[in-house]
Amino acid sequence: MTYCIAINTDEGLVFCSDSRTNAGFDNISIYSKMHTFVWPGERTLVLLSAGNLATTQAVVKKIWSDIENSAAVNLQSSPDIRSAADYIASISAGVQKQHVERDTSSTNFEATFIFGGQIGTDKPEIMLIYPQGNFIHESEEHPFLQIGEVKYGKPILDRIIKRSTPLTQAARCALVSMNSTTRSNLTVGAPIDLMIYSKGALDFGQRMSLTENDPFAKQMSEYWNQGLVQALDSLPRFPWELN
Amino acid sequence: MTYCIAINTDEGLVFCSDSRTNAGFDNISIYSKMHTFVWPGERTLVLLSAGNLATTQAVVKKIWSDIENSAAVNLQSSPDIRSAADYIASISAGVQKQHVERDTSSTNFEATFIFGGQIGTDKPEIMLIYPQGNFIHESEEHPFLQIGEVKYGKPILDRIIKRSTPLTQAARCALVSMNSTTRSNLTVGAPIDLMIYSKGALDFGQRMSLTENDPFAKQMSEYWNQGLVQALDSLPRFPWELN
């Protein structure tokens, strides 16, 4: 399993992903699911991947080889985020089709992606690319996208994230959402990759990779627990407690 | 879908359940999923139900009729919580078996229950009764049980609930967990039934039924949102924010 989040705020973008892959309970590996494609001053693009690892690796490999070979369509030359998402969706669907045709045991080769970034002076955008080869952008009301094990970490995003949320607060919220998920689902795990991109920067952004015992990650988790206890204490008393 | 919680603290028990039932998206009803069996001064027993409504209604009906008819085994005469849970598990498995034998279309008749309370001077206990007719109690580390749509509301319980959590704080935590779930899953909905039972009381406990527009429920949700924003604000800054 996997958990990835992207948030699109007025100040910029947040991307966050875990690094655990598993094929059954006894076959666990660490692979980063965050792939960045940056041409400083021109474009910053980020791809987060969930699903069949052979599919997602083949898709990322194809994206890089198309860039290196200056293919007719590639991430460096795509005119906008939407057409770049369509290009990735088309690669993903093609890879899955190829693997399905080879397979004799109805394996699930599906992969889901979050793709986003900024190209030149365009607005930053984020897209969720489905295994079926189509894609959607985030909603205006809830400007975030999730893939993988989405339920544990959704309530905090639902309650906090708006377009106007400051960029670093959105990033802290993403880390909390990720932390709630890694605590509850064994197949989502550290290192946690975080990238914070300021609108208009067209650079590599601020990037962190937090291991399980990283002091910053531990402090985050401890402070969050304390904050929740205080939040609970601040809730209204039951009517019979007031007498 | 359904969401029910039971918490077993040093001070007593909390039970919380939603009231929405649905058979498809266009067939929604309101049924309380909290059933109480109280003989003041003798025993307080609570049953929360999830799953096939025909099954859960038949189980509750059978429990009441066994009490009224002073059947050889019934909730009023069970010597302890464990044997009472076994009695309910046996009814549930029997009802499902009967319905499966009648059915020609492999319908899912499964039902899951949380059952708990206190009998005389015994310790209060909570049990999760599986559709298969067996049951488990809560863990010492995480002294709560959930049935139905459990993921959205689990992180807050994981982080807060311990044996030593004060009873009313555990109840507020259950309401927050329920609120997170009703916001995220349309098939979990108000009125929210809450029962707070103080250890040793052997009474009806404190009981509330919170409708969607109940001022207390609204205030809870608003205060919680504010508390979360403060908790986020209290988190450590990123290294580059400190310069």
Side-chain angles (χ1 to χ4, degrees), chain A:
Chain A
M1 205 69 187
T2 289
Y3 181 42
C4 302
I5 315 158
I7 306 173
N8 189 357
T9 75
D10 292 333
E11 295 180 8
L13 306 175
V14 174
F15 297 93
C16 189
S17 56
D18 84 308
S19 300
R20 189 161 291 172
T21 67
N22 74 304
F25 296 119
D26 51 357
N27 187 353
I28 292 175
S29 301
I30 292 175
Y31 286 93
S32 173
K33 298 163 192 175
M34 182 178 289
H35 313 277
T36 52
F37 307 86
V38 180
W39 291 269
E42 293 178 20
R43 57 182 61 198
T44 297
L45 303 172
V46 180
L47 185 69
L48 308 178
S49 55
N52 185 290
L53 186 61
T55 301
T56 61
Q57 285 190 358
V59 169
V60 172
K61 180 80 189 153
K62 171 72 173 154
I63 291 173
W64 277 117
S65 90
D66 281 351
I67 293 169
E68 282 153 19
N69 300 325
S70 300
V73 184
N74 72 70
L75 279 196
Q76 193 171 6
S77 64
S78 301
D80 51 48
I81 296 284
R82 184 160 279 270
S83 60
D86 193 56
Y87 156 74
I88 296 170
S90 151
I91 297 175
S92 170
V95 167
Q96 290 172 63
K97 199 173 175 191
Q98 189 185 49
H99 292 186
V100 165
E101 281 166 1
R102 262 182 219 166
D103 182 45
T104 54
S105 61
S106 61
T107 308
N108 185 351
F109 296 108
E110 290 191 347
T112 311
F113 298 89
I114 288 175
F115 175 68
Q118 184 170 23
I119 293 180
T121 56
D122 288 359
K123 275 195 312 184
E125 289 186 271
I126 54 175
M127 302 281 169
L128 193 164
I129 302 174
Y130 291 106
Q132 289 73 18
N134 53 0
F135 52 92
I136 60 167
H137 60 72
E138 82 284 12
S139 80
E140 198 59 39
E141 174 110 355
H142 289 298
F144 61 84
L145 296 170
Q146 303 169 284
I147 55 176
E149 177 61 275
V150 303
K151 290 187 179 183
Y152 297 110
K154 187 165 182 287
I156 182 70
L157 298 171
D158 276 339
R159 291 186 199 261
I160 297 289
I161 298 297
K162 300 184 179 56
R163 285 273 187 232
S164 59
T165 304
L167 187 58
T168 49
Q169 195 188 27
R172 278 185 275 275
C173 190
L175 285 180
V176 167
S177 173
M178 181 61 77
N179 186 251
S180 298
T181 308
T182 56
R183 283 174 68 121
S184 293
N185 188 319
L186 283 179
T187 69
V188 178
I192 304 305
D193 289 324
L194 178 72
M195 178 178 165
I196 307 179
Y197 172 76
S198 294
K199 189 174 169 177
L202 301 172
D203 63 1
F204 290 88
Q206 295 284 2
R207 182 143 177 193
M208 298 181 93
S209 185
L210 301 168
T211 59
E212 207 155 339
N213 294 313
D214 183 280
F216 182 75
K218 284 197 159 209
Q219 205 187 19
M220 274 277 180
S221 184
E222 280 161 25
Y223 278 42
W224 181 247
N225 279 0
Q226 289 166 22
L228 285 185
V229 171
Q230 281 170 17
L232 262 186
D233 281 344
S234 76
L235 291 183
R237 304 292 106 170
F238 291 107
W240 61 87
E241 288 183 276
L242 301 173
N243 298 328

Side-chain angles (χ1 to χ4, degrees), chain A residues 149 151-152 155 158-159 168-169 172 179-180 184 196 206 216 223 225 228 233-234 237 240-241, chain B residues 149 151-152 155 158-159 168-169 172 179-180 184 196 206 216 223-225 228 233-234 237 240-241:
Chain A
E149 177 61 275
K151 290 187 179 183
Y152 297 110
D158 276 339
R159 291 186 199 261
T168 49
Q169 195 188 27
R172 278 185 275 275
N179 186 251
S180 298
S184 293
I196 307 179
Q206 295 284 2
F216 182 75
Y223 278 42
N225 279 0
L228 285 185
D233 281 344
S234 76
R237 304 292 106 170
W240 61 87
E241 288 183 276
Chain B
E149 177 61 276
K151 290 188 178 183
Y152 297 110
D158 276 339
R159 292 186 200 261
T168 50
Q169 195 187 28
R172 278 185 276 275
N179 186 250
S180 297
S184 292
I196 306 178
Q206 295 285 2
F216 182 75
Y223 278 43
W224 181 247
N225 280 0
L228 286 185
D233 281 343
S234 76
R237 305 291 107 170
W240 61 87
E241 289 183 275

Side-chain angles (χ1 to χ4, degrees), chain B residues 182-195:
Chain B
T182 57
R183 284 174 68 120
S184 292
N185 188 319
L186 282 179
T187 68
V188 178
I192 304 306
D193 288 325
L194 178 72
M195 178 177 166

Side-chain angles (χ1 to χ4, degrees), chain B residues 43 45 72-81 83-85 87 115 119:
Chain B
R43 56 181 63 198
L45 302 172
V73 185
N74 73 67
L75 280 196
Q76 193 171 6
S77 64
S78 301
D80 50 48
I81 297 284
S83 60
Y87 156 74
F115 175 68
I119 293 180

Side-chain angles (χ1 to χ4, degrees), chain B residues 7-214:
Chain B
I7 305 173
N8 188 358
T9 76
D10 291 333
E11 294 180 9
L13 306 174
V14 174
F15 297 93
C16 189
S17 56
D18 84 309
S19 300
R20 189 161 293 171
T21 68
N22 73 303
F25 297 118
D26 51 358
N27 188 352
I28 292 174
S29 299
I30 293 174
Y31 287 93
S32 173
K33 298 163 191 174
M34 182 178 289
H35 314 277
T36 52
F37 307 86
V38 180
W39 291 269
E42 294 177 21
R43 56 181 63 198
T44 297
L45 302 172
V46 179
L47 184 69
L48 308 178
S49 55
N52 185 290
L53 186 62
T55 301
T56 61
Q57 284 190 357
V59 169
V60 171
K61 181 77 188 154
K62 171 72 172 152
I63 291 173
W64 276 117
S65 90
D66 281 351
I67 293 167
E68 282 153 20
N69 300 326
S70 303
V73 185
N74 73 67
L75 280 196
Q76 193 171 6
S77 64
S78 301
D80 50 48
I81 297 284
R82 184 160 279 269
S83 60
D86 193 56
Y87 156 74
I88 295 170
S90 150
I91 296 175
S92 170
V95 167
Q96 291 173 61
K97 199 172 174 192
Q98 187 185 49
H99 291 186
V100 165
E101 281 166 2
R102 262 184 219 164
D103 182 44
T104 54
S105 62
S106 61
T107 307
N108 185 352
F109 295 107
E110 291 191 347
T112 310
F113 299 88
I114 288 175
F115 175 68
Q118 185 170 25
I119 293 180
T121 56
D122 288 0
K123 275 196 314 184
E125 288 186 273
I126 54 175
M127 301 282 170
L128 193 163
I129 302 174
Y130 292 105
Q132 289 74 18
N134 54 0
F135 52 93
I136 60 168
H137 60 72
E138 82 285 12
S139 80
E140 198 58 40
E141 173 111 353
H142 289 296
F144 60 86
L145 296 170
Q146 303 170 283
I147 55 176
E149 177 61 276
V150 303
K151 290 188 178 183
Y152 297 110
K154 186 164 183 287
I156 183 70
L157 298 170
D158 276 339
R159 292 186 200 261
I160 298 289
I161 298 297
K162 300 183 179 58
R163 285 272 187 233
S164 58
T165 304
L167 187 58
T168 50
Q169 195 187 28
R172 278 185 276 275
C173 189
L175 285 180
V176 167
S177 174
M178 181 60 77
N179 186 250
S180 297
T181 309
T182 57
R183 284 174 68 120
S184 292
N185 188 319
L186 282 179
T187 68
V188 178
I192 304 306
D193 288 325
L194 178 72
M195 178 177 166
I196 306 178
Y197 172 77
S198 295
K199 188 175 170 178
L202 300 172
D203 63 0
F204 290 89
Q206 295 285 2
R207 181 143 177 194
M208 297 181 94
S209 184
L210 300 168
T211 58
E212 206 155 341
N213 294 312
D214 183 280

